[in-house]
C-alpha cells in the first residue's frame, strides 16, 4: 500500500486508501477502536484491563465530535471506503489515537497513516510530536523515531492500566 492508496492485493493483502476522516466515518471509527482494543491490545493487557478500557463500542457521536472538533484525522479505508484504521493529530502535536482493526493489521496501514500525519506536522512547523502509547503501540512508535519519556499508570473504571509518554522532535 502506498500513501496515495495505490496499494495492491499481492499475497492476499487488502488495498487501502488513506484519506481525511469524515463525519460519516464515525460508526466505523467506533468499531475500529473497539475491535483494536479487544483484538490487538488484548495481547498486552489483562481481560479486566481491556473491559475497563473499552467495555463496549463507544457512542458514535463521540467519534463524530472528534472528526469535527478541529483535529486532523486520517483513515485507511478499504475497497468499500469503510475505515479500517485511523490516526489523529491535535494542534499542539499530540497524537491522541492510532487504532487499526485486526483485519487490517500487519499490512503497513499504520505506517501509511503515520506518514500522512508527520508530513502534516512538518507543514505546520510543529517542533515535536507526542503520544501516550499503549503497550501494543509502543513498538510502532519507537520504529517511527519516538522515544519513551516515562511509563504512566492510568485508571479506567477503577482498574489500573499503563501506557508510555513518548516524544519525537521534528527537524
Amino acid at each position: 500500500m502506498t500513501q496515495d492508496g495505490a496499494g495492491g492485493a499481492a499475497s492476499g493483502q487488502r488495498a487501502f486508501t488513506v484519506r481525511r476522516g469524515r463525519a460519516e466515518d464515525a460508526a466505523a471509527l467506533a468499531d475500529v477502536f473497539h475491535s483494536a482494543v479487544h483484538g490487538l491490545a488484548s495481547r498486552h493487557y489483562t481481560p479486566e484491563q481491556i473491559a475497563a478500557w473499552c467495555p463496549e463500542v463507544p457512542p458514535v457521536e463521540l467519534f463524530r465530535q472528534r472528526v469535527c472538533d478541529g483535529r486532523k484525522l486520517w483513515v485507511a479505508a478499504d475497497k468499500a471506503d469503510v475505515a479500517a484504521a485511523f490516526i489523529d493529530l491535535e494542534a499542539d502535536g499530540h497524537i491522541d489515537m492510532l487504532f487499526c482493526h485486526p483485519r487490517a493489521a500487519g499490512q503497513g496501514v499504520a505506517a501509511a497513516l503515520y506518514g500522512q500525519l508527520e508530513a502534516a506536522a512538518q507543514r505546520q512547523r510543529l517542533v515535536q510530536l507526542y503520544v501516550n502509547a499503549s503497550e501494543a503501540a509502543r513498538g510502532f512508535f519507537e520504529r517511527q523515531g519516538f522515544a519513551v519519556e516515562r511509563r504512566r499508570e492510568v485508571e479506567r473504571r477503577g482498574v489500573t492500566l499503563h501506557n508510555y509518554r513518548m516524544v519525537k522532535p521534528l527537524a
Side-chain angles (χ1 to χ4, degrees):
M1 183 185 97
T2 62
Q3 291 178 0
D4 65 2
S11 65
Q13 291 184 343
R14 298 174 190 244
F16 292 92
T17 301
V18 174
R19 61 170 173 76
R20 290 296 297 269
R22 304 183 292 242
E24 57 268 24
D25 293 320
L29 299 178
D31 178 64
V32 167
F33 173 76
H34 183 263
S35 297
V37 170
H38 286 266
L40 299 175
S42 65
R43 300 173 190 164
H44 304 277
Y45 296 93
T46 68
E48 180 185 38
Q49 290 171 318
I50 294 298
W53 184 357
C54 183
E56 58 192 27
V57 176
V60 171
E61 187 56 33
L62 173 68
F63 282 89
R64 186 172 289 113
Q65 289 171 0
R66 287 178 180 226
V67 171
C68 300
D69 70 0
R71 74 184 69 210
K72 292 186 171 138
L73 188 138
W74 294 267
V75 301
D78 63 17
K79 290 180 182 180
D81 199 32
V82 175
F86 65 96
I87 194 169
D88 70 350
L89 176 64
E90 295 175 347
D92 67 350
H94 180 231
I95 301 169
D96 187 35
M97 300 179 292
L98 168 60
F99 290 95
C100 186
H101 195 286
R103 70 181 161 85
Q107 299 181 43
V109 173
L113 287 167
Y114 178 79
Q116 293 288 318
L117 180 145
E118 187 169 310
Q122 295 281 3
R123 287 190 301 275
Q124 288 176 235
R125 292 186 163 77
L126 292 175
V127 296
Q128 78 172 7
L129 296 172
Y130 69 100
V131 64
N132 294 318
S134 69
E135 189 71 50
R138 177 182 174 179
F140 171 80
F141 283 107
E142 287 176 332
R143 289 188 297 279
Q144 307 313 309
F146 284 73
V148 172
E149 278 192 334
R150 69 183 180 279
R151 180 181 161 126
R152 302 174 62 240
E153 303 293 321
V154 295
E155 187 176 311
R156 297 284 185 267
R157 296 177 178 86
V159 177
T160 301
L161 297 93
H162 69 277
N163 62 28
Y164 299 91
R165 164 73 178 207
M166 302 181 76
V167 292
K168 178 179 181 176
L170 298 175

